[in-house]
Every structure is written in C-alpha cells, then in structure tokens.
Amino acid sequence: MKVLYVVSEAVPFVKTGGLADVAGSLPKALVAEGVDARVVLPKYSSIPEEFRNNMEHVAHITIPVSWREKYAGVEKLVHEGVTYYFIDNEEYFRRDGMYGYGDDAERFSFFSRAVLNLLPAIDFWPDVINSNDWHAALVNVFLKLEHNGDARYDNIKTVFSIHNLKYQGMFDKNVMSDVLGLDWKYFNNGDLEFNDAVNFMKGGMIYADLISTVSRTYAEEIQYEFYGEHLDGLLRKRQRALRGIVNGIDVDMYNPATDKNLFVNFDVDSLDKKVENKVKLQEQLGLPVGRNIPMLSMVSRLVEPKGLELIIRIMDEILSHEECQFVLLGTGDKGYEDWFRDLQWRHPTKVSANIYFSNELAQRIYGSADIFLMPSIYEPCGIGQMIALRYGTIPVVRETGGLKDTVKQYDKYSANGNGYTFADINAHDLMYAIKRALTEYEHIGLWNQIQRNAMCSDVSWSRSAREYIDMYKQLIG
C-alpha cells in the first residue's frame, strides 16, 4: 500500500502545534506496519540547517497560480525510515513563521497544486493521499477538478483529516479567480462558498472520499451545532464517510524509564521512584517538601477552551480546604496568566505558577505530579492526558473528544479505569472529580493500582496506525 501524507508542518522539521507531532509520528508508524508512506510539506526557511543541508534536489516543476506560473523545487530527505519531500519556493516559504500572512490563500493553494504535480516528477503514484487541515485541503479539490480523466490520477483515493475544525482557512471570495483559477460555478454551487467567502476546509471535506478526525468522540461531536463550527450540517450529510481515529504519542520519546529530563527514572514496577521526582520538583519550585502531599498539575495553553473558567471557580476552595499542591506551566491569554500569578500570591506555600514554557519542566511535572487536570470545553484529541497516563500521573478530564476516548473512570470495586472524568461543563462536577481523586490518593494500594492501569494504557501510534491502515484498505477495496 502506498500513502502520500500531505501536511503543513511536521516534527522534527517545523512545529507550531499538535499537527506537527502527528505528522512526525503517524507516517513512521505506518512504515513500521509495512506501508510505503511518504510525506510532503513546504520547505520553510525555519527548517534547521542540519536537515536542509542533507536534502537532495530531485526535480523542479512549474505550478499554475491562476494566470501566473511559479517555480517549485522538490527536495527529498529520508529521516528515520520515512521519505519526506519538501516543496521549495522562496517567495512563499522563505519567511519568518509559517502562517498568518495576507497571501496565505495563494501560498497554500500553490502548495496543494504542487503536491499533485510532483507525482510524475518523483514517479510515485499513491493509492491514498491523506491531506491534513485547511492548508492541504485543496489537494482533494484540484485532484477532482484538474486531473480528472488522467489515468495516472484516476485511481487515487483521498482522505481529509481534521485536527481542529475551528481553523478552516477562510478567504475573500475573489481568490476564486485571482489565486485558485477555478470556475466561479464551484463557488456558486456551495462547494467552496461559506458566508460569501472561500472556505478551504469545506472544499476539502466535500471533495474527499473519506473524512477522518482525531478521535471517535470528536467525530460524533462535530456533527452537532455546539462543536460543529457552522459545518455540522455538512458533516451530518457526510457522516457515512466520517471516521474518528484517536491519536497516539511517541512512547519512546515519552518514556519515564529513559526520559533524561526526569530527576529519577522509573517504570510501572518501580513507582516508589516516582515519589522521588515529586520531592525533587518541590525543592526546585520552592514548595514545601512532603512525599505524601498530593500534587495537582496542569501543562496547558492558557486559553478558554482548556476549561480554565472551571478551574478559576474552584481552585481557591480546593487549596483552602484540601492538603495539596498545585503546579502550573503554560502561557496564553494575559487575563489567565495574571489570575494564576495571583493564585500563587494567595497560596504561596501551595501553588507554583510558571508562566512560560520549558520542555524540561513539562516532563518533570508529568513525571512528578500525582494528578493532571485537563477540564477542556472541547478537545479534538489532546496529548497531555496521554503523556500523563504514560507517566502514572492520573488525569482528571471532562468527557469530550479524545479525552473521553482515552481516559476511563476508575472503579475501585472492579479495579478498572485509568483516571477520573466528569461530563458537564460544570465547575462543581470538576471539583467533585478532583476531591474523589484526592480521597482515593490516601489509599496507597488503590492509588498504585490506578497508576499501573494508567501506565499500561495503550497510547502508542502503532495502535492508531493499524486503524488508519484499515481505513485505507476499506477505501481502496
């Protein structure tokens, strides 16, 4: 099976968010399962020199941009067993940052066209093209509208993967002729039109053979108005083509037994060493040292969808009435940053608010804390809860998106489950879940059982890769 994975960013080359983590892990897992999976992405100037210097120039092609024609170089690099192709055009990609420019419609429509036009140049004809998010959505449109009838392209099937429905690629309708060079009938018939603008993601969804998203629950949720970002009607219409496959994490990278950022390494059979990490972190952050003080934690962007309004309503009460500590790491909206700083001022012996980001500290929090809070309003998949599970730090989550699919309520009678959950967007329900966790933390045997359950949860990409392969097989028959 041959798969071309089309994405705007990928670890370890460039990253702004979780999309890059997926693109850096899933193709590698597909290759491990015997798939000829290759990746194509733009050649940004921010890609480190160590990679740029090892790229091989394999082709140069000409790409139509409406009435104009633009150069595209094709560079190749094999990294960790995966073949990557980079679309090179300095006018579009030699810039600071990756997104947010006034000509993003032109930049990423150029990229989408180049993906299809490079296939003859590299002589790679995939069974499936899996494009991701709005930046690559027009691959599906151009395949159907510009390559229809070309026998080399006719058997290629398409999957469009949605990582976050909120970001859709919306542009002034004049890009139809000035940039895309498409007939206005594809705007007038609603294929690309959305509130009198052009919507790249909508077009990608309409022209894809299958649509996937990053968890089973999110695939269900986005068919409802609350989560659907005004595309819920289209998603309900295409629900038979919609799939939900939960992401994984790189279990070699996130491994408490080998993580060099931890003070002390541990595994599921040496949980006593996890407590040593907590003691060392308490010392580092200036908190009172106590092996038996339960440590609550958050590693998060400080934005409203992460459920911070729920945290604000209950955290003072919990810290005032419970013997516990709270460690935060993250940046975001100034109002939330200031609130957490004030929380530390109000509870200086119980709170460490770290308003910055450090990968080292993030890993130490995952490896040291007892409880991880993630009460998101919506969460397409989420990665924090899976890292927490891997490190035996018990998640407390709201039952939404990938949180619901990966964290199951612990039942002390059956000893099943790996965390604590609540359903409604309700601060008191969150508080009840936290207090339930704090109560059971006091029983060391019970708590060790839930930690073992958490650390034995399968959050690997190999599981997810097999589900992707099943979807591809279904598509190509």
Side-chain angles (χ1 to χ4, degrees):
M1 182 188 297
K2 294 182 289 185
V3 174
L4 187 65
Y5 198 80
V6 186
V7 69
S8 62
E9 57 184 84
V11 167
F13 309 108
V14 283
K15 175 181 176 178
T16 65
L19 173 62
D21 292 307
V22 176
S25 299
L26 175 56
K28 185 167 61 173
L30 291 172
V31 169
E33 295 289 334
V35 176
D36 185 355
R38 308 186 191 186
V39 183
V40 57
L41 66 159
K43 185 183 178 184
Y44 302 103
S45 58
S46 56
I47 294 173
E49 286 295 322
E50 62 182 288
F51 298 120
R52 297 169 67 87
N53 292 339
N54 289 312
M55 292 179 186
E56 172 193 357
H57 180 80
V58 295
H60 58 270
I61 53 181
T62 300
I63 308 300
V65 179
S66 190
W67 67 87
R68 311 176 289 289
E69 291 196 341
K70 299 286 186 177
Y71 164 88
V74 182
E75 310 284 319
K76 175 183 175 181
L77 177 67
V78 178
H79 178 72
E80 295 186 343
V82 180
T83 298
Y84 293 85
Y85 298 101
F86 298 84
I87 303 298
D88 183 23
N89 180 292
E90 293 194 352
E91 177 186 352
Y92 292 137
F93 303 125
R94 188 180 178 86
R95 308 183 184 190
D96 295 331
M98 296 156 58
Y99 316 124
Y101 288 93
D103 61 347
D104 276 358
E106 183 172 333
R107 298 170 69 223
F108 289 102
S109 62
F110 164 85
F111 171 63
S112 294
R113 268 203 177 95
V115 168
L116 297 168
N117 288 12
L118 71 80
L119 299 182
I122 62 174
D123 194 26
F124 180 69
W125 299 96
D127 300 300
V128 178
I129 295 177
N130 191 159
S131 56
N132 293 266
D133 276 356
W134 72 262
H135 321 88
L138 293 188
V139 169
N140 308 323
V141 177
F142 294 144
L143 177 63
K144 294 292 198 301
L145 298 185
E146 298 183 343
H147 296 276
N148 187 36
D150 185 331
R152 299 173 300 174
Y153 291 85
D154 282 347
N155 291 326
I156 297 176
K157 301 297 183 181
T158 56
V159 173
F160 179 58
S161 295
I162 301 168
H163 297 260
N164 192 330
L165 191 63
K166 186 176 182 66
Y167 306 105
Q168 299 177 9
M170 298 274 290
F171 302 99
D172 186 277
K173 64 183 178 181
N174 289 323
V175 303
M176 281 297 296
S177 56
D178 293 344
V179 173
L180 307 186
L182 294 176
D183 194 301
W184 277 93
K185 69 181 180 181
Y186 300 111
F187 181 88
N188 295 329
N189 68 6
D191 286 358
L192 292 168
E193 186 274 338
F194 183 85
N195 289 341
D196 204 38
V198 168
N199 185 319
F200 279 27
M201 180 172 279
K202 181 182 179 184
M205 291 165 54
I206 286 176
Y207 283 86
D209 295 311
L210 286 181
I211 303 167
S212 76
T213 191
V214 290
S215 68
R216 292 182 297 276
T217 297
Y218 192 58
E220 297 170 359
E221 289 176 336
I222 57 178
Q223 297 179 55
Y224 294 92
E225 183 177 358
F226 183 78
Y227 297 97
E229 300 292 343
H230 306 290
L231 291 176
D232 49 291
L234 173 57
L235 287 158
R236 287 193 298 273
K237 185 177 180 180
R238 296 222 63 195
Q239 62 179 295
R240 295 184 65 181
L242 181 60
R243 305 287 185 273
I245 302 174
V246 69
N247 288 338
I249 60 172
D250 186 329
V251 294
D252 294 323
M253 178 187 301
Y254 298 111
N255 184 351
T258 58
D259 190 338
K260 294 179 180 179
N261 292 307
L262 299 189
F263 299 105
V264 181
N265 292 117
F266 64 94
D267 60 22
V268 71
D269 296 317
S270 57
L271 282 169
D272 55 315
K273 294 182 180 178
K274 179 176 170 66
V275 181
E276 300 302 323
N277 282 283
K278 178 166 67 175
V279 170
K280 294 289 188 182
L281 185 63
Q282 288 168 331
E283 293 174 350
Q284 176 183 332
L285 298 179
L287 292 171
V289 174
R291 297 173 62 88
N292 297 320
I293 301 174
M295 181 183 286
L296 310 177
S297 63
M298 287 189 75
V299 178
S300 176
R301 287 183 295 114
L302 303 183
V303 293
E304 184 179 7
K306 295 301 180 181
L308 299 183
E309 293 297 327
L310 305 183
I311 295 289
I312 286 172
R313 282 166 172 75
I314 65 166
M315 192 52 69
D316 278 298
E317 182 174 344
I318 286 178
L319 292 169
S320 298
H321 295 91
E322 301 285 347
E323 181 60 32
C324 64
Q325 296 172 342
F326 175 60
V327 176
L328 170 87
L329 175 64
T331 62
D333 295 346
K334 185 178 184 301
Y336 290 127
E337 292 181 350
D338 291 343
W339 189 87
F340 283 108
R341 288 190 182 100
D342 289 344
L343 182 71
Q344 178 175 310
W345 180 81
R346 293 193 298 274
H347 306 274
T349 63
K350 289 190 170 186
V351 175
S352 175
N354 303 278
I355 311 301
Y356 60 93
F357 189 78
S358 158
N359 186 64
E360 178 185 78
L361 182 56
Q363 296 307 103
R364 287 181 175 179
I365 291 172
Y366 285 122
S368 304
D370 300 295
I371 296 168
F372 185 78
L373 305 182
M374 202 166 174
S376 303
I377 306 304
Y378 74 91
E379 194 71 57
C381 180
I383 186 174
Q385 84 281 10
M386 290 190 279
I387 302 173
L389 290 169
R390 181 85 169 131
Y391 285 71
T393 300
I394 307 307
V396 175
V397 305
R398 198 177 84 77
E399 296 170 10
T400 183
L403 302 179
K404 182 177 180 179
D405 291 345
T406 54
V407 180
K408 303 301 179 185
Q409 174 65 43
Y410 181 70
D411 178 0
K412 64 182 179 181
Y413 300 106
S414 66
N416 294 322
N418 58 8
Y420 297 87
T421 71
F422 64 103
D424 294 334
I425 304 173
N426 184 292
H428 287 92
D429 288 354
L430 169 60
M431 182 165 65
Y432 177 71
I434 293 172
K435 288 188 173 183
R436 195 167 58 212
L438 290 172
T439 298
E440 296 189 345
Y441 171 83
E442 298 175 0
H443 303 278
I444 186 63
L446 184 154
W447 192 255
N448 284 346
Q449 179 62 54
I450 187 173
Q451 286 182 303
R452 286 191 290 272
N453 290 357
M455 296 180 74
C456 292
S457 301
D458 186 356
V459 293
S460 69
W461 268 111
S462 58
R463 166 191 49 79
S464 301
R466 289 190 291 270
E467 292 190 47
Y468 272 91
I469 291 169
D470 288 342
M471 176 176 64
Y472 298 151
K473 286 181 176 178
Q474 178 189 14
L475 186 57
I476 66 179

